[in-house]
Amino acid sequence: MEPKASGIIFFICTSNTCRSPMAEAIARKWFAEKHGVKESELKAATGWDIRSAALTDDYEKPGSPASANGVTAMQRFGCDLRNHRSQLITRGAIESAEKIFCVSNRHRHWILEMVPSSANKTFTLGQDIPDPWHQEQAVYDACAKTMMACVPAVLAKHFGNDAAS
């Protein structure tokens, strides 16, 4: 089955302050570039709504900003996380999503436990991405570099090189 040409895409990690905001920012940039629009106009111009969310609030409460080291790491790749605020994923959000990309197989299994029927639209980024949470800048930089390779590759696989199919 071909993916829809618009919809909600979620990126999922534990607390939605490190890895999933990075992936969301990379995906926004990728889709905007593929469609020739500004990131701020992506949803209105294309129908793609790129989001990220947490599986738990055990470590960071909803509304938390992206980690400072994550903001710095992503700025080096032209992605801005300064306005990001974390949110928890909900059953309804899982059900309404077109695709869900998780930073690890463990996160994917957690989503499938919440909504077993989401198996056909819930994936990993092709590898488990180590969590940089509360580590030094070099660890965040390495994570960002990995994400800059994984996210565009998985998007191209699922949405085609032009993202308009």
Side-chain angles (χ1 to χ4, degrees), residues 75-162:
Q75 283 176 332
R76 295 175 179 151
F77 292 103
C79 296
D80 188 357
L81 300 181
R82 291 176 297 177
N83 293 324
H84 173 80
R85 294 298 176 264
S86 65
Q87 64 176 339
L88 285 170
I89 193 72
T90 64
R91 181 179 184 82
I94 293 167
E95 291 169 346
S96 67
E98 175 69 17
K99 298 279 185 189
I100 301 166
F101 297 102
C102 301
V103 298
S104 76
N105 221 9
R106 183 177 63 85
H107 292 85
R108 181 178 184 274
H109 289 300
W110 195 332
I111 292 289
L112 298 182
E113 286 178 14
M114 289 176 72
V115 182
S117 63
S118 67
N120 65 338
K121 63 180 180 180
T122 305
F123 307 92
T124 67
L125 295 177
Q127 69 181 71
D128 286 356
I129 310 294
D131 193 351
W133 189 63
H134 287 263
Q135 296 188 56
E136 65 271 4
Q137 186 65 53
V139 176
Y140 279 85
D141 292 345
C143 181
K145 185 177 178 183
T146 300
M147 297 289 257
M148 289 299 295
C150 291
V151 173
V154 79
L155 292 175
K157 176 181 175 184
H158 286 271
F159 298 100
N161 286 324
D162 66 359

